Amino acid sequence: MSRILSAVAWPYANGPRHIGHVAGFGVPSDVFSRYMRMAGHDVLMVSGTDEHGTPILVAADAEGVSPRQLADRNNRLIVEDLQALGLSYDLFTRTTTGNHYHVVQSMFEVVRDNGYMVVRTTRGAISPSTGRTLPDRYIEGTCPICGYEGARGDQCDNCGNQLDPTDLINPRSKINGETPEFVETDHYFLDLPALAGALSKWLDDREKSGTWRPNVIKFSQNFLEDIRPRAMTRDIDWGIPVPGWEDQPSKRLYVWFDAVVGYLSASIEWARRTGDPEAWRKWWNDPEALSYYFMGKDNIVFHSQIWPAELLGYNGEGDKGGEPGENGHLNLPTEVVSSEFLTMEGKKFASSRGIVIYVRDMLSRYQADALRYFISAAGPETSDADFTWAEFLRRTNTELVAGWGNLVNRTASMIHKRFGHIPDPKDLEDVDRQLLDDVEAGFDEVGGLIRTHHQKAALAAAMRLVGEANKYVTDTEPFKLKAPEQRDRLGTILWTLAQVVTDLNTMLSPFLPHSANEVDLVLGGTGEVAPMPRIEEVTDLDVTNEDGSPRNYPVITGDYVGYPTWERHPVLVGRDVHQPHPVFHKLDDAIVEEELGRAGA
């Protein structure tokens, strides 16, 4: 058994999340975490809503509400959506908690005191019309390196190079299009050059492990070629105050600094809420513990360079030395698991232009596992992928309904009609043994692929076995075995099918947890083979509202102890099987035109 930290990217709370977001961070992390628990590992899966930064301020201003009011509303929407999707977080929290503020500020102080935060005078962008500072991400222009016209003030998404707003050609505000003014201002910078040696060694070791996706490791190593200090504070009035600069309330820690520290703060909050405040250390201080970070490709640099550099600085492992703080020596990521982008009908998701499918809208019309299946089977695992309604319809109807759902339904229907319970097998024939052996061998194949983040191949392998089981029904023709002297053979075939469906349900449960419970019910079980997350209303552990009242918020959590282990579990002969109902809903062809019309396509 290993301890596994499943560190899931923090969705930004400036609005509800769309299916492209959960294709990158949500479903892949949950499939992995569910499997690893079933394989006997001690998993801690954490995340939360990222609630600071300029986009929150801009959205709040547009609605005439405070940033906290906007964050509160969107936090709840996101919590409800991710719980409905079945994401099995041990704790999904938020970045506006007192616990998070304390962990972030203490992390900053240690990195600073170890010499890896240095003050520099730089030129900051100001909006001429409002006098407000413009963060780097709210300035765009032409990249001076590759000529891409949509480069941001902190990074060019086309060539991947880090930028400063002053580097851009023809810079303009993304808020109102005006040309920003640049004024001198002091900021703390993370001294990445002083950490480059340690960072390079760590990345080289990760490359030698052979576990990272090639695009992720190469992208990360390329950044070392032009590494330079990076600002970790901002001129903004919504965020975490900078330790030592309390007399400058307009300066806050950069939202990305506080967001990545969230993996640690959420682990600490989880431990505090369990009644064992030091329990988090088993995942962060034990060098044998493993950590996997899940996100979309636009966040690679923050998880393979910035966050590891901050951890190295905290541990005192850069050129300037230093000592860890109260949290002790912290583990660096074992692997950064980055997905590519999901597009919609050939177009990049863009909420402002109506090119979007929100998770909530999707789940209001379709089964959660139909979406999970599409993402797992056709999502952006190692290359960009396109969501189309025609392909969603096809995969749902031909693979889920006609493939897996049909196998479950006709197995249960025949058992119910001919026996009423799972029959006792008699003499197995070669065809029965072959199917049973093939399916049992699938545990090693499918599990190995999930463990190494080849989820599309894992799901394909499981569905191939579904196809073999359906062929077994066609070949053995149990529906024709009606004579009394054929009853023993019929019972053997149906027992074989019950065992195979049970095995396949176990194998598919990380991908399809909702339907896994329904399939278990269909075969006479309790319907509790895939523990599901729940929403709890909690009170902030450290701070209250301004009027002294408790500050409450929702979290996702769960008791994930009811998993069957990742292996064959013999079916219970004699267990009653009732007339089944279809587990998956067949979709009408008309939904394609309806959905395209709804999106204005």
Side-chain angles (χ1 to χ4, degrees):
M1 182 192 76
S2 297
R3 287 195 171 86
I4 306 292
L5 176 68
S6 188
V8 189
W10 291 56
Y12 199 57
N14 62 329
R17 300 296 86 185
H18 57 64
I19 65 170
H21 293 129
V22 295
F25 73 81
V27 174
S29 63
D30 189 56
V31 171
F32 177 79
S33 299
R34 286 178 177 275
Y35 161 73
M36 294 300 277
R37 291 180 183 122
M38 296 174 75
H41 301 290
D42 195 355
V43 175
L44 179 61
M45 180 176 172
V46 294
S47 186
T49 45
D50 176 9
E51 301 180 4
H52 294 126
T54 297
I56 298 288
L57 278 173
V58 172
D61 283 350
E63 295 190 25
V65 298
S66 71
R68 181 170 292 281
Q69 287 174 317
L70 182 81
D72 285 347
R73 185 190 71 202
N74 290 332
N75 163 260
R76 188 170 295 276
L77 285 174
I78 293 169
V79 163
E80 291 172 354
D81 289 351
L82 301 187
Q83 185 271 339
L85 194 56
L87 306 187
S88 57
Y89 293 101
D90 290 280
L91 183 69
F92 183 91
T93 180
R94 60 195 304 186
T95 59
T96 50
T97 68
N99 172 80
H100 180 71
Y101 272 49
H102 169 73
V103 175
V104 169
Q105 290 178 322
S106 65
M107 180 100 183
F108 174 87
E109 289 175 326
V110 174
V111 176
R112 179 197 63 196
D113 294 347
N114 280 343
Y116 301 104
M117 288 287 182
V118 294
V119 177
R120 283 191 171 188
T121 300
T122 184
R123 296 178 69 201
I126 300 293
S127 165
S129 62
T130 67
R132 276 181 123 166
T133 58
L134 287 171
D136 298 350
R137 284 195 164 220
Y138 267 69
I139 304 170
E140 62 183 9
T142 301
C143 176
I145 299 171
C146 71
Y148 177 61
E149 294 185 357
R152 299 194 311 264
D154 61 346
Q155 179 177 314
C156 176
D157 288 336
N158 186 56
C159 66
N161 282 288
Q162 296 180 47
L163 300 172
D164 288 321
T166 53
D167 296 332
L168 294 174
I169 301 169
N170 298 322
R172 58 193 176 276
S173 167
K174 291 178 65 176
I175 299 173
N176 56 20
E178 65 186 2
T179 300
E181 295 178 359
F182 292 95
V183 298
E184 288 192 345
T185 181
D186 287 343
H187 284 296
Y188 273 105
F189 280 69
L190 179 62
D191 192 356
L192 287 169
L195 295 158
L199 193 59
S200 178
K201 181 181 182 304
W202 171 71
L203 283 171
D204 288 346
D205 289 344
R206 294 296 83 216
E207 183 180 32
K208 291 175 184 176
S209 73
T211 59
W212 283 39
R213 291 173 177 168
N215 61 313
V216 178
I217 193 71
K218 292 302 180 187
F219 183 85
S220 305
Q221 290 173 323
N222 286 342
F223 271 106
L224 293 174
E225 297 176 4
D226 185 33
I227 198 166
R228 47 184 165 169
R230 187 148 184 165
M232 289 290 115
T233 57
R234 289 291 187 269
D235 290 305
I236 190 174
D237 54 5
W238 172 242
I240 299 178
V242 182
W245 282 0
E246 287 83 3
D247 60 338
Q248 301 183 64
S250 64
K251 290 190 182 292
R252 304 290 170 124
L253 291 171
Y254 178 35
V255 61
W256 260 108
F257 178 83
D258 93 73
V260 291
V261 179
Y263 301 116
L264 175 61
S265 71
S267 302
I268 293 173
E269 182 183 348
W270 166 82
R272 294 177 68 190
R273 292 193 181 281
T274 66
D276 183 2
E278 300 299 307
W280 64 273
R281 294 185 182 276
K282 298 173 184 177
W283 284 267
W284 285 91
N285 294 152
D286 182 354
E288 298 300 315
L290 305 174
S291 55
Y292 299 85
Y293 289 71
F294 294 85
M295 78 230 41
K297 67 179 178 181
D298 54 335
N299 292 338
I300 291 175
V301 65
F302 292 101
H303 294 83
S304 68
Q305 186 187 79
I306 306 301
W307 177 229
E310 291 166 6
L311 290 167
L312 289 165
Y314 184 90
N315 293 337
E317 295 177 318
D319 294 347
K320 300 176 181 179
E323 295 293 332
E326 63 182 3
N327 293 325
H329 187 280
L330 299 173
N331 292 336
L332 271 67
T334 302
E335 186 166 351
V336 173
V337 187
S338 168
S339 297
E340 301 294 295
F341 288 147
L342 185 72
T343 54
M344 173 187 168
E345 303 287 346
K347 301 175 183 177
K348 186 176 180 179
F349 277 96
S351 303
S352 60
R353 298 196 300 273
I355 306 172
V356 67
I357 308 169
Y358 290 115
V359 172
R360 176 159 300 215
D361 293 339
M362 189 80 181
L363 299 187
S364 72
R365 298 192 289 275
Y366 306 101
Q367 290 176 285
D369 279 359
L371 174 58
R372 289 178 65 113
Y373 182 85
F374 182 93
I375 290 172
S376 299
E381 184 173 275
T382 56
S383 61
D384 290 353
D386 193 36
F387 177 93
T388 69
W389 286 107
E391 183 66 358
F392 176 71
L393 172 85
R394 186 193 71 77
R395 286 191 178 272
T396 299
N397 286 352
T398 63
E399 297 173 16
L400 275 185
V401 177
W404 175 228
N406 183 50
L407 176 64
V408 172
N409 194 66
R410 60 178 172 171
T411 296
S413 293
M414 288 188 288
I415 292 174
H416 169 72
K417 182 177 180 181
R418 301 302 299 277
F419 290 89
H421 58 266
I422 296 176
D424 189 9
K426 302 303 181 184
D427 295 330
L428 294 177
E429 296 184 1
D430 287 345
V431 67
D432 311 321
R433 295 190 190 92
Q434 185 64 57
L435 180 63
L436 288 165
D437 289 348
D438 287 349
V439 170
E440 187 170 24
F443 282 104
D444 284 341
E445 180 183 9
V446 174
L449 288 166
I450 296 175
R451 185 172 59 253
T452 55
H453 311 293
H454 296 90
Q455 294 186 8
K456 293 170 81 168
L459 182 54
M463 293 303 289
R464 186 186 69 246
L465 294 172
V466 170
E468 287 186 23
N470 275 316
K471 184 177 183 298
Y472 171 82
V473 177
T474 301
D475 292 344
T476 58
E477 298 182 318
F479 39 82
K480 291 184 178 180
L481 303 178
K482 299 180 180 180
E485 63 272 17
Q486 296 173 316
R487 189 164 178 79
D488 282 353
R489 180 61 189 147
L490 173 64
T492 300
I493 292 172
L494 295 183
W495 172 86
T496 299
L497 283 170
Q499 183 64 65
V500 163
V501 168
T502 299
D503 291 344
L504 291 171
N505 194 43
T506 301
M507 239 177 272
L508 288 167
S509 64
F511 301 97
L512 310 172
H514 302 83
S515 58
N517 290 330
E518 291 191 49
V519 170
D520 188 61
L521 284 172
V522 165
L523 288 180
T526 61
E528 298 176 345
V529 298
M532 301 301 288
R534 65 178 183 271
I535 297 174
E536 284 187 4
E537 296 290 330
V538 300
T539 299
D540 196 294
L541 296 168
D542 300 294
V543 297
T544 62
N545 291 316
E546 292 181 2
D547 62 3
S549 62
R551 180 175 292 176
N552 300 321
Y553 57 96
V555 299
I556 304 174
T557 187
D559 300 312
Y560 308 115
V561 294
Y563 283 89
T565 49
W566 189 258
E567 61 188 340
R568 169 166 287 165
H569 295 271
V571 293
L572 184 61
V573 171
R575 189 167 67 184
D576 290 342
V577 176
H578 302 288
Q579 180 64 41
H581 63 276
V583 174
F584 298 105
H585 305 157
K586 185 176 182 180
L587 303 179
D588 191 285
D589 290 350
I591 71 142
V592 175
E593 187 174 341
E594 290 172 4
E595 293 291 355
L596 290 174
R598 183 179 280 115

